[in-house]
Amino acid sequence: MNWIVWIIIGCEIGFWVFVILGLFTRYVFNKKNLGLFFLAMTPIIDLVLLTATALDLYNGATATIAHALAAIYIGISVGFGKIMINWADERFQYYVTKTGAKPVKLYGLAYAKNYFKGWTRHLISYVIGASLIGLVYLIIKDSDRTAAFMQVLSGWTLVLAIDFIISISYFIFPRKQKSELF
């Protein structure tokens, strides 16, 4: 397995380790500043991944799906990072420390709007990831070495389009509560 895959896996694990450390430190040990420090470390993980990927490609590696996944990871981390941390924070407070409100399940138009906001974050993630892929493509100037980028980008474009269709479908066929189903 390509070493860049291990870097991606390590960065994903590192992201969630810092999130969990931040939440535990903040709520269990009541060290809010230290908890904030751990949560603030999550963007550093993106920087590590970006640097490792750039160095590998700069040193002559042929771009692989793993390199493209690094761009996707960074795009998703930027587009969804704050939302993922807020989601984890809300659930940690409710399920672990029993101090927060129960997470609210959305239905109907509220769910459709929320899902569409998620799709717009997906679009932002796509633009960031695609821009990184395009930038590397322009820097390398070798379509043979960057062919994997175009394959991954076309697949991601399809996923984005499907996600958009699903998003719109929730406006047409709203999600209903279980009691409304029968």
Side-chain angles (χ1 to χ4, degrees):
M1 190 181 309
N2 189 337
W3 68 271
I4 201 72
V5 173
W6 291 110
I7 296 287
I8 294 169
I9 292 168
C11 286
E12 179 66 16
I13 291 169
F15 174 85
W16 288 108
V17 165
F18 277 117
V19 168
I20 291 168
L21 274 173
L23 295 174
F24 259 95
T25 305
R26 178 186 268 184
Y27 296 114
V28 175
F29 302 123
N30 204 25
K31 303 280 186 189
K32 301 223 182 285
N33 288 337
L34 185 58
L36 182 61
F37 168 77
F38 285 130
L39 293 173
M41 291 302 292
T42 57
I44 302 300
I45 293 168
D46 291 340
L47 185 59
V48 168
L49 180 59
L50 184 62
T51 302
T53 304
L55 284 173
D56 191 38
L57 293 170
Y58 180 77
N59 289 326
T62 297
T64 64
I65 291 174
H67 292 93
L69 288 177
I72 291 172
Y73 175 86
I74 290 167
I76 289 173
S77 183
V78 172
F80 286 96
K82 185 176 180 188
I83 296 296
M84 288 189 286
I85 289 172
N86 288 341
W87 177 89
D89 187 51
E90 181 180 77
R91 276 141 187 84
F92 190 89
Q93 285 183 61
Y94 179 74
Y95 292 109
V96 177
T97 66
K98 310 289 186 204
T99 59
K102 182 176 183 178
V104 177
K105 281 197 169 199
L106 299 176
Y107 300 97
L109 185 58
Y111 182 82
K113 287 178 179 179
N114 189 57
Y115 196 97
F116 191 77
K117 284 180 190 176
W119 180 83
T120 59
R121 289 194 174 277
H122 187 176
L123 178 62
I124 291 166
S125 300
Y126 175 86
V127 168
I128 292 166
S131 297
L132 289 172
I133 287 172
L135 181 64
V136 172
Y137 186 82
L138 289 172
I139 290 170
I140 292 177
K141 296 180 185 172
D142 184 348
S143 59
D144 291 336
R145 283 184 52 211
T146 56
F149 279 175
M150 295 307 115
Q151 291 173 332
V152 170
L153 196 55
S154 64
W156 194 7
T157 303
L158 179 62
V159 169
L160 183 67
I162 291 169
D163 192 24
F164 178 73
I165 292 167
I166 292 169
S167 180
I168 296 303
S169 77
Y170 284 120
F171 287 98
I172 300 167
F173 307 105
R175 182 178 182 197
K176 297 180 180 180
Q177 291 181 357
K178 289 182 181 180
S179 62
E180 294 178 19
L181 293 176
F182 300 104

